[in-house]
Every structure is written in C-alpha cells, then in structure tokens.
Amino acid sequence: ALAERVCLDGVEKTKQLSVNILGATPLDFSINGTVRAMADALEEQGIEVYAVWAMHTAKVEDLYERIQTAGAAHVNLVVSASGLKAAKILWKRFGIPYVIGTPCGKKFTQKITDGIRQAAATGEHQNLCKYFPESDKVIIGESITALSLANALYEETGVGAKVLCAVDAEEELLSDGCVSARDEAEIIPYLEKAKIVIADPMYRPICSEHVQFVEL
C-alpha cells in the first residue's frame, strides 16, 4: 500500500548508487541490530542505503520521508518475502529493478553487492537465492532469509541445505531447494532424514535426538 499510495512521482535519483531495503520488518528481523548491520555491510561496499521498509537504522532516521521519495533509489533489495510485492509495484511505477537476497556472511554479501551493481547497470532483476541438491542439512524459516543462509553456507563450505518454508511464500521462491511445509505433519518427514537442523528452538521437540540442532 505504501508503494502504491505514498511514494511520490518525479523524484530525482541519488548521485551515488543507492538501494531501498524492502521486507525489513520485526516479524522477520528482531530489534537486535540486524537491520543496521545489513545497512552497514552495504555501505562499506560503497552502496548508499536510501530507505529501509520499514525499520529505522542509525543511518536512515527520516523513515517516512524516505519512503515517500523511495523512487530516488537505483535498486530495491528484497530481504524477505514480505517485500517482494512492494518491489514489483516500485518496478512498475518507477522502473527500479530488484535484487532478491539477504546479506549473510562475507562471501554471499559480496554476491549481493555485485548483484546490486549489475541490476543498476542493466535494469534487470537478480534473484540470488539459488537452490541446492539434496542435503542432510535442513533450514526452517522464511523463504528469502533461509535461502540466503543456505547460500551463505554454500559459499563458505561448498555444501548447501534444503529450506523448509513454514510460512506463506511467493511461488517463484519455491522449488526442490525450498519447499512449503507449514505444519508438523509436513515438516517431520524432512527432519527424519536430516543430520543437522537449523531452526527456531521451538522446532527442537519434533526433531530426532540424534539430530545436531543449531538454534537460529
């Protein structure tokens, strides 16, 4: 609704390469410095963070005014599925391409910054949440953040993980590497085959005692 009704037309682009971070909500990112850390990681690579939808960072305090003028950014970075529809509206209204992925780990964050530059140069969207073959590692979580963690693990170790999305997800984010599993009956069969599970601690009771459980 903000993208449709609040963002103003006729806004000039920033001189420096800039992004809006979309999908940064307290539902997916706790008030623990994570959003600020993402902004810092991008700015360290010379990319200005223009607006954060919709949590404050130390760098962007005039939040509502920045959302109004979000058309000034060159690229939208979608860090959770809740930001994808807004990204599509901003693409339609202002021609701003979007990049899908959450900064996570040094190597994957570098891929994201490279993707932002490529999107700005070509005007083409970049989905950096790739999928991986069968793995004995399982990550349970929101689709984009969990897929980004799987990609970061792959960049660091050469081994990915299967992602179970326990909430509603856009169809374009689901594949063999990211499956929709929204209750215990759907999740347990995947956990029975896993050696390592990375998830919220509340999933521990439905895991085998032989599983290595990593609290997310």
Side-chain angles (χ1 to χ4, degrees), residues 68-87:
Q68 285 184 303
T69 57
H74 298 88
V75 177
N76 287 316
L77 177 63
V78 182
V79 297
S80 77
S82 62
L84 191 52
K85 288 182 180 179

Side-chain angles (χ1 to χ4, degrees), residues 153-167:
L153 286 172
Y154 182 81
E155 292 294 328
E156 299 291 342
T157 67
V159 179
K162 179 176 286 292
V163 170
L164 305 183
C165 184
V167 295

Side-chain angles (χ1 to χ4, degrees), residues 15-93:
K15 294 181 179 179
Q16 182 181 348
L17 175 60
S18 61
V19 298
N20 299 312
I21 296 178
L22 307 184
T25 75
L27 292 173
D28 298 307
F29 300 91
S30 298
I31 313 286
N32 60 5
T34 300
V35 175
R36 177 177 176 179
M38 287 195 294
D40 287 343
L42 296 174
E43 300 221 340
E44 287 171 4
Q45 296 293 322
I47 298 172
E48 176 188 353
V49 174
Y50 187 79
V52 181
W53 294 42
M55 294 170 67
H56 287 291
T57 70
K59 298 179 181 298
V60 182
E61 293 296 344
D62 48 342
L63 181 60
Y64 184 72
E65 290 77 9
R66 288 294 184 98
I67 289 176
Q68 285 184 303
T69 57
H74 298 88
V75 177
N76 287 316
L77 177 63
V78 182
V79 297
S80 77
S82 62
L84 191 52
K85 288 182 180 179
K88 291 178 178 179
I89 294 170
L90 293 172
W91 162 252
K92 184 177 181 180
R93 288 192 60 192

